Amino acid sequence: YAKLPTEMPSAELYKSLDMGLVIDKDTGEILDASITLVTEETKAFLKSIIVGYVIDDNGVDPLITRIKSRYFGASQKAICVTLRLLLEKYHQILNR
């Protein structure tokens, strides 16, 4: 979870950003993603950036760079924070 900027409509509905990822643990590929944002266009655009990325090859930084260079919405920072936390948790689970 990450806090959304208060000026966003999503902040009124959800208070925070929530993201879920489906990751193939054998390949590290992100197969699907869900994000709590208001517009379907934004969710679909972010999903198009995230899905297909192979986390085990490069870590999270190139994915965050890709988001920062293509998505300029007010929730950009919250999305990047949430992705970093999710993928850190993914690696913790794999290393158990």
Side-chain angles (χ1 to χ4, degrees):
Y1 299 95
K3 187 175 180 183
L4 288 167
T6 56
E7 69 272 6
M8 290 185 60
S10 295
E12 288 294 316
L13 289 171
Y14 303 118
K15 304 295 182 216
S16 64
L17 180 98
D18 184 24
M19 185 182 301
L21 301 176
V22 176
I23 303 173
D24 183 321
K25 70 176 187 169
D26 295 325
T27 66
E29 180 181 2
I30 299 173
L31 303 175
D32 202 1
S34 64
I35 305 166
T36 55
L37 293 171
V38 172
T39 64
E40 293 302 318
E41 294 82 7
T42 301
K43 289 189 267 189
F45 179 67
L46 288 166
K47 192 172 177 175
S48 76
I49 295 171
I50 296 167
V51 171
Y53 184 80
V54 180
I55 190 65
D56 291 344
D57 287 350
N58 303 305
V60 70
D61 290 332
L63 179 56
I64 288 174
T65 298
R66 186 186 305 175
I67 290 168
K68 287 181 177 181
S69 69
R70 298 189 60 207
Y71 176 68
F72 304 105
S75 59
Q76 182 194 77
K77 183 177 179 180
I79 290 163
C80 293
V81 167
T82 302
L83 262 176
R84 188 173 300 281
L85 292 171
L86 272 173
L87 295 173
E88 284 175 12
K89 184 168 185 151
Y90 163 74
H91 281 114
Q92 287 174 356
I93 291 168
L94 284 183
N95 292 326
R96 285 186 187 171

